[in-house]
Amino acid sequence: MEDQMRISLDLANQALNIGEVPVGCIFLYNDRVIARGKNSVNETRNATRHAERNCVDEVVDKYKDTWHDVMSKVTVVVTVEPCIMCASLLYSLKVPKIVYGCNNDRFGGCGSVMDVLPLYSLECQLVAGVLKDEAMSLLKTFYAGTNPNAPLSKVKIKKK
């Protein structure tokens, strides 16, 4: 799985280079890549445009009549544990296997913050920690900078 994760890491690096949270994802079907995605939240100004969601949309476009069957046989390879929203999306599509790099301690939906799998009647194999140091390094690089597209803080500063 390391070779496949390296493809996702390359996509995450591309996201980082354009100011996105560096998350990359591929979908494997019959051992070949059928979808590639990276976060495009800032570019689209749409908070739902995570790497996994972008891959799902690519599969739906490519496999117009059979996409639901395809999704039930896909292996997801993503650099960061899917957030609660993305984990719910993947589980609702009956994805049988998710491989990820590092944990998502802020929004993780595969156990770090919340385990949403018990909400669904299916089994999904989770494989965590594949090239986790590389994935975490990209996140640290992003969060060391500032996000120019982030909304202004609404925290009130106390006056003395």
Side-chain angles (χ1 to χ4, degrees):
M1 252 328 115
E2 286 188 6
D3 290 342
Q4 293 85 355
M5 183 61 76
R6 290 198 189 288
I7 298 169
S8 293
L9 285 166
D10 182 54
L11 291 162
N13 200 45
Q14 291 174 32
L16 178 65
N17 289 336
I18 60 170
E20 297 283 351
V21 176
V23 179
C25 182
I26 61 171
F27 283 10
L28 301 172
Y29 179 68
N30 293 332
D31 295 323
R32 55 178 244 274
V33 177
I34 62 164
R36 297 168 188 258
K38 60 183 179 288
N39 276 11
S40 59
V41 169
N42 293 331
E43 174 188 1
T44 61
R45 297 195 184 281
N46 179 338
T48 69
R49 300 314 306 178
H50 291 189
E52 301 93 332
R53 167 80 186 271
N54 290 333
C55 282
V56 168
D57 287 351
E58 188 175 331
V59 170
V60 170
D61 286 345
K62 276 186 187 174
Y63 299 90
K64 303 222 183 291
D65 297 325
T66 60
W67 68 268
H68 206 274
D69 183 54
V70 169
M71 289 302 300
S72 70
K73 297 176 180 98
V74 157
T75 295
V76 175
V77 182
V78 61
T79 57
V80 179
E81 173 189 1
C83 70
I84 294 166
M85 174 186 72
C86 289
S88 293
L89 172 64
L90 296 172
Y91 294 149
S92 71
L93 295 171
K94 298 181 175 41
V95 168
K97 184 174 182 180
I98 301 171
V99 178
Y100 63 89
C102 64
N103 289 347
N104 183 342
D105 294 333
R106 291 182 178 185
F107 308 108
C110 299
S112 290
V113 174
M114 180 179 181
D115 184 4
V116 297
L117 184 57
L119 301 174
Y120 296 86
S121 315
L122 81 144
E123 291 186 22
C124 181
Q125 180 185 2
L126 296 174
V127 179
V130 178
L131 300 178
K132 68 180 179 182
D133 293 336
E134 289 91 331
M136 184 57 73
S137 177
L138 287 172
L139 287 175
K140 286 180 179 179
T141 299
F142 177 81
Y143 287 113
T146 57
N147 181 348
N149 297 308
L152 296 174
S153 175
K154 295 183 181 179
V155 175
K156 293 182 181 180
I157 299 172
K158 292 184 181 185
K159 296 180 182 178
K160 292 183 180 183

